[in-house]
Amino acid sequence: MCLSEAEDRYGGTGVVLCPVAGLRSRPNPRSELLTQEVFGRPVRVEDIRGDWARCIFRDSSQGWLPLPCLCSNPAYSPSHVVTKRFAAVHVRGKTDLVLPMGSLVEGSGKEGDVHTVRLPDGGSGWMPSGALREIMCRRRRPGRLAPVTRRMPGMKHFSQVIKEVIGAPYLWGGRSTFGFDCSGLVQFLFEPFGIDLPRNSCEQARSGSLVRSLKCLRPLDLVFFGKNRVVSHVGVHLGGLRLLHASGYVRVESLDPASRLFRDDLYAKFQWARRILP
């Protein structure tokens, strides 16, 4: 299917219909996983080849998604974001879905501790109200729909997010609570602040303002590691030289030699840090 046919079918924009969709380097399920997007998020559809769609994500990542992971629904207007590590959607007439944190749903009513929701494919269901937070969305642009909270989250919100992601497994190309890689975790953590970071750690290492020394770190600075100024790993400074990062799994470790959580190998590979938030 050519670009014009993709435009006719999807209007240029598709909505992720599965809990998490993996963007592949080629239209092949065995090709490299580049990154992921979660349920209810829009993606730009550029082309279709067989059962695959060539897509562009909002962070400019480009690759291939399986067509069954997408639907076309220009009227879909998400109003709530999932705030728990996982939340079940009880879908009428279909198998229930388990959605990861960050998924978007369209709320259609609340009764007690239950929220009725509409789904991108036109289906409906219900889920616990405590797993959702209301959002507003910036003006829609082709292939982009960036949710932001009504009030910009602060450290309290960040601490709540950390509790949900701690222990999540490491997954190369992962960017959901089903699994993260190091840069995917960082990108995921800063999204609620309205900050769209690049997808890979090398590009993230050029964001914000430079912090040269560990002694100058502030909470939520990004800390980069590697060799000979080539970045291969990133984490988020939590204060007191504590580092949140995805290494084997999402964990908190330390760059302080006096701490029992000290990672000497990371300490030796420190390159620089970047300040993203004022």
Side-chain angles (χ1 to χ4, degrees):
M1 184 180 291
C2 65
L3 175 58
S4 61
E5 291 175 297
E7 287 279 355
D8 290 342
R9 181 169 174 180
Y10 287 93
T13 303
V15 182
V16 175
L17 193 57
C18 55
V20 59
L23 190 73
R24 300 280 176 178
S25 60
R26 298 188 302 277
N28 185 315
R30 293 186 294 276
S31 62
E32 181 186 4
L33 178 63
L34 302 175
T35 187
Q36 295 175 318
E37 193 56 280
V38 297
F39 185 90
R41 301 276 179 158
V43 299
R44 177 74 182 175
V45 179
E46 291 287 294
D47 195 4
I48 294 177
R49 184 183 301 173
D51 293 330
W52 293 80
R54 185 165 63 84
C55 299
I56 301 177
F57 284 7
R58 64 184 184 278
D59 62 5
S60 299
S61 298
Q62 300 185 37
W64 295 87
L65 285 180
L67 274 181
C69 289
L70 293 174
C71 73
S72 175
N73 186 350
Y76 187 62
S77 181
S79 60
H80 291 76
V81 60
V82 174
T83 58
K84 299 298 183 183
R85 183 168 177 175
F86 300 110
V89 182
H90 304 280
V91 186
R92 295 185 177 92
K94 295 183 179 180
T95 304
D96 293 349
L97 293 174
V98 176
L99 302 185
M101 192 174 186
S103 298
L104 298 180
V105 296
E106 185 177 340
S108 59
K110 180 181 177 182
E111 185 174 343
D113 58 356
V114 172
H115 219 114
T116 304
V117 296
R118 286 189 289 265
L119 308 179
D121 63 355
S124 62
W126 61 271
M127 59 191 308
S129 299
L132 299 173
R133 184 179 72 245
E134 190 175 4
I135 61 170
M136 61 182 181
C137 293
R138 301 178 186 142
R139 180 171 297 178
R140 188 189 296 258
R141 288 179 288 171
R144 294 181 65 88
L145 181 61
V148 294
T149 55
R150 294 191 182 279
R151 286 184 292 181
M152 190 63 71
M155 280 300 296
K156 181 179 179 180
H157 168 80
F158 198 86
S159 298
Q160 293 170 343
V161 174
I162 290 174
K163 291 178 182 178
E164 298 295 335
V165 301
I166 284 289
Y170 182 90
L171 175 65
W172 178 271
R175 210 196 76 92
S176 83
T177 46
F178 286 110
F180 292 99
D181 63 18
C182 64
S183 56
L185 174 66
V186 167
Q187 192 184 50
F188 177 89
L189 291 172
F190 278 84
E191 185 180 84
F193 291 90
I195 296 175
D196 296 325
L197 290 172
R199 179 59 181 89
N200 65 63
S201 57
C202 293
E203 293 177 347
Q204 291 173 358
R206 296 191 289 269
S207 302
S209 57
L210 180 64
V211 180
R212 296 184 181 276
S213 170
L214 289 174
K215 296 179 180 179
C216 300
L217 288 178
R218 295 178 183 172
L220 304 191
D221 285 349
L222 303 188
V223 188
F224 296 92
F225 306 89
K227 187 177 181 180
N228 298 327
R229 301 189 66 80
V230 177
V231 169
S232 58
H233 189 64
V234 61
V236 180
H237 179 237
L238 300 180
L241 294 183
R242 291 177 301 127
L243 183 76
L244 176 72
H245 66 142
S247 176
Y249 57 92
V250 178
R251 61 174 81 186
V252 175
E253 294 182 301
S254 178
L255 300 175
D256 180 359
S259 171
R260 63 181 181 84
L261 299 177
F262 179 57
R263 277 283 298 267
D264 58 344
D265 58 328
L266 286 180
Y267 183 86
K269 293 179 180 179
F270 171 74
Q271 298 292 296
W272 62 82
R274 306 292 295 194
R275 186 154 297 147
I276 305 301
L277 296 178

